[in-house]
Amino acid sequence: MFIITDYEREFITKYLKNGKEKIKEAETLNDLEDLLSDIDLELVCGENGMDENFDLTDFGRKAQNIHDDIFFRNHDYDEKTYSYISNY
C-alpha cells in the first residue's frame, strides 16, 4: 500500500480530471504509475502548469512538488541498480 497525504488527495481531487476516481484506481491496483503520469501530464505540463514560455507557473510548481513528494515517499533508491524501486 502506498502513502498519500490528505492534502495531496484534496489537491488531486480538486484539480485533476476524475482525480478521485484515479486515486481510487491507484489504491485498488496498488500502483501509482498512472496517477503520477496523470499529475505530470495534466497538471504540471497542462494549461495551468506552464506559461507561454513553457516555464512552470506557481500552480505547476505546486503540482510538481506533489508529484515528487508522492514519488519519493513511495520509492527507494537502489544503489546497486542505480534506479528507484517501489516500496509499496
Side-chain angles (χ1 to χ4, degrees), residues 42-57:
E42 292 183 35
L43 301 181
V44 177
C45 297
E47 184 178 325
N48 294 323
M50 294 186 171
D51 65 16
E52 62 277 352
N53 297 318
F54 299 103
D55 293 324
L56 286 175
T57 62

Side-chain angles (χ1 to χ4, degrees), residues 9-21:
R9 192 178 297 273
E10 289 171 17
F11 183 89
I12 293 166
T13 300
K14 182 174 181 179
Y15 294 109
L16 187 66
K17 184 178 179 182
N18 299 322
K20 188 173 186 176
E21 291 81 10

Side-chain angles (χ1 to χ4, degrees), residues 29-45:
L29 298 174
N30 198 33
D31 187 355
L32 278 173
E33 300 313 310
D34 286 343
L35 179 61
L36 291 172
S37 180
D38 289 339
I39 292 169
D40 186 42
L41 293 172
E42 292 183 35
L43 301 181
V44 177
C45 297

